[in-house]
Amino acid sequence: MAGKETAILSIRGKQVALPVVEDTFQNVFVDISKLQPTTKICTFDPGYTSTACCNSEITYIDGGKGILLYRGYPIDQLADGSDFVDCSYLLLNGVLPTREQHAEFESQLKFHNIVHEKLIRFYEGFKSDAHPMAIMTGVVGALSAFYDCKDWRDPVQAKLSCIRLIAKMPTIAAMAYKTSIGQSIIYPNNAYTISENFLYMMFAKKNEEWRPDPVLTRAMDVIMILHMDHEQNASTSTVRVAGSSQANPFACIAAGIACLWGPAHGGANEAVLNMLSEIGSAERIPIYLARVKDPKDSFRLMGFGHRVYKSYDPRAKLMRQITHKVLDHLQLNDPVLHLAMELEKIALTDDFFVKRNLYPNVDFYSGICLRAIGVPVSMFTVLFAVAPTVGWGSPW
């Protein structure tokens, strides 16, 4: 909210008064929007580390205190008592749905979860070993040719585009996976919930019976909820920049997916599994810990610490709980998962990590959980392109 307080910038003998504003939590901002037009002075802030580009009521993060809120609701409260439909509705509309609103919104998502048959032919043009993210970027961009949002400023058209995107992304992602492994595409089954349907389209085969697993379904719900939005991160900024030109929303989301592909963003959980493969076994952990502690060695543990959260990633706490539930439920004899759990124990007790707040983050646990569920590493980033579609579309 705006106030009468000003900040005085003194530079080269001149003084410039800049408005001071506060957000809901009394965090202070200096409004520099008129600095360049009136003084020809520009600010330099690589990575938006000290810059907000918009007013938003969608997500709030306090990295120092480990707080993440969706529309004012703590993320742990939502992950504990809500599902994909609840949180999608919340981010889009600002309030949690009633039972009737939940049913209606879920019905809308299921109505729009099918994709155009001609769009499916796009998948036939990709090599069978194509990376699923390459397929996702191309196919989502192609949605612009099938669903034209003529005026994104029209609330009705904008909301319909958002619902279409949220509904179709699990279908497109699952089809990308099936294409990448050479299996037949599985169409949505509206007898299932959103998360059940995604797992069904991923893992069902035409010649085998498939039944939903409540533990894995709940895990997928939590994974989706935790990754729906995360303030002004790289992909969200990319979607906003593309959208500022009034481009088709589907094309804007495709740009966000391309940004998400990078290992420094959505590909971080994939990097965790690659790191575990490099370490190889629990016996080799001390070797790599010594490398981490060596300032002359460039090696670092992926999935530990966070650029935003300086104390603890609140999503990691929730993801740790669901990951251990999945591992206990499946009782897998997987050396990589055993290695990950041993590395977790050491990192949570080793003074080097504890003093630096280098705790396992959400990427560490989500990578382990997805591997346990059966999602291949190449699909990790694709899955994390499904949930953020809700957050990307909410500003519209």
Side-chain angles (χ1 to χ4, degrees):
M1 59 181 179
K4 296 182 179 180
E5 186 180 1
T6 59
I8 305 299
L9 172 65
S10 296
I11 183 170
R12 296 185 177 180
K14 296 181 179 180
Q15 288 191 334
V16 182
L18 301 170
V20 173
V21 296
E22 291 184 350
D23 66 10
T24 305
F25 294 89
Q26 287 76 54
N27 295 304
V28 179
F29 296 80
V30 177
D31 184 351
I32 61 168
S33 57
K34 296 182 180 180
L35 178 62
Q36 196 279 337
T38 57
T39 68
K40 306 302 180 184
I41 297 172
C42 294
T43 58
F44 181 65
D45 182 21
Y48 287 166
T49 55
S50 301
T51 302
C53 69
C54 64
N55 291 317
S56 176
E57 298 177 351
I58 299 171
T59 303
Y60 174 79
I61 296 172
D62 187 327
K65 297 179 181 178
I67 295 173
L68 171 60
L69 308 177
Y70 288 172
R71 298 285 192 176
Y73 288 90
I75 191 63
D76 55 343
Q77 180 180 333
L78 294 172
D80 185 53
S82 303
D83 62 7
F84 179 87
V85 175
D86 287 323
C87 291
S88 297
Y89 188 96
L90 172 66
L91 287 177
L92 288 178
N93 299 285
V95 294
L96 283 170
T98 63
R99 184 175 300 179
E100 292 76 17
Q101 290 169 333
H102 181 285
E104 172 61 23
F105 187 59
E106 185 174 32
S107 178
Q108 290 179 331
L109 293 178
K110 288 182 177 181
F111 178 80
H112 289 288
N113 64 12
I114 201 73
V115 297
H116 199 288
E117 283 296 310
K118 288 187 177 180
L119 186 70
I120 295 177
R121 296 177 189 171
F122 275 62
Y123 291 92
E124 299 173 2
F126 293 102
K127 292 176 61 181
S128 60
D129 62 347
H131 195 290
M133 278 299 281
I135 299 174
M136 283 286 288
T137 305
V139 173
V140 173
L143 287 173
S144 306
F146 293 87
Y147 309 100
D148 184 21
C149 182
K150 292 181 174 59
D151 185 3
W152 64 271
R153 290 166 296 187
D154 178 357
V156 175
Q157 290 191 45
K159 190 165 186 177
L160 177 59
S161 294
C162 289
I163 290 173
R164 280 174 169 162
L165 276 163
I166 296 167
K168 296 180 190 302
M169 284 296 280
T171 306
I172 292 171
M175 288 181 174
Y177 170 59
K178 288 294 191 181
T179 300
S180 71
I181 61 174
Q183 288 187 8
S184 299
I185 285 172
I186 301 296
Y187 284 74
N189 184 337
N190 286 346
Y192 296 132
T193 66
I194 304 298
S195 293
E196 285 175 341
N197 224 341
F198 183 53
L199 292 171
Y200 165 70
M201 291 186 289
M202 282 273 293
F203 298 118
K205 297 179 182 178
K206 288 186 175 181
N207 61 339
E208 295 179 2
E209 183 181 2
W210 185 89
R211 293 181 180 178
D213 184 317
V215 175
L216 302 189
T217 298
R218 184 57 192 158
M220 188 56 63
D221 250 342
V222 172
I223 290 172
M224 295 279 207
I225 290 169
L226 297 183
H227 290 86
M228 279 187 179
D229 199 50
H230 206 243
E231 245 186 23
Q232 189 178 300
N233 59 23
S235 55
T236 300
S237 298
T238 300
V239 173
R240 287 187 58 84
V241 170
S244 67
S245 70
Q246 301 181 19
N248 185 289
F250 300 101
C252 298
I253 298 300
I257 292 172
C259 178
L260 190 71
W261 195 351
H265 191 12
N269 37 57
E270 186 173 340
V272 170
L273 267 294
N274 292 335
M275 174 199 69
L276 293 174
S277 296
E278 180 182 345
I279 295 175
S281 66
E283 290 74 24
R284 290 167 53 84
I285 290 178
I287 298 174
Y288 284 86
L289 290 183
R291 292 184 61 187
V292 171
K293 298 174 183 179
D294 184 354
K296 298 179 180 179
D297 197 316
S298 60
F299 177 81
R300 64 190 183 96
L301 289 179
M302 303 302 295
F304 289 81
H306 197 279
R307 180 173 176 268
V308 174
Y309 298 107
K310 303 306 179 184
S311 56
Y312 194 77
D313 184 344
R315 301 169 302 165
K317 180 181 179 181
L318 299 163
M319 200 64 240
R320 181 179 188 271
Q321 294 171 355
I322 203 70
T323 297
H324 281 276
K325 286 182 180 179
V326 168
L327 294 177
D328 292 342
H329 173 66
L330 296 176
Q331 292 293 304
L332 298 174
N333 186 21
D334 185 333
V336 174
L337 298 179
H338 290 314
L339 167 60
M341 292 298 96
E342 187 61 30
L343 187 58
E344 176 204 36
K345 292 178 184 177
I346 294 173
L348 291 175
T349 56
D350 190 301
D351 284 345
F352 178 87
F353 294 94
V354 174
K355 290 179 179 178
R356 292 168 174 79
N357 289 325
L358 295 177
Y359 299 107
N361 61 30
V362 69
D363 298 311
F364 179 82
Y365 291 115
S366 60
I368 297 168
C369 188
L370 291 175
R371 179 184 174 93
I373 291 174
V375 179
V377 173
S378 62
M379 274 295 293
F380 284 9
T381 314
V382 172
L383 191 144
F384 294 117
V386 173
T389 302
V390 182
W392 293 338
S394 293
W396 268 292

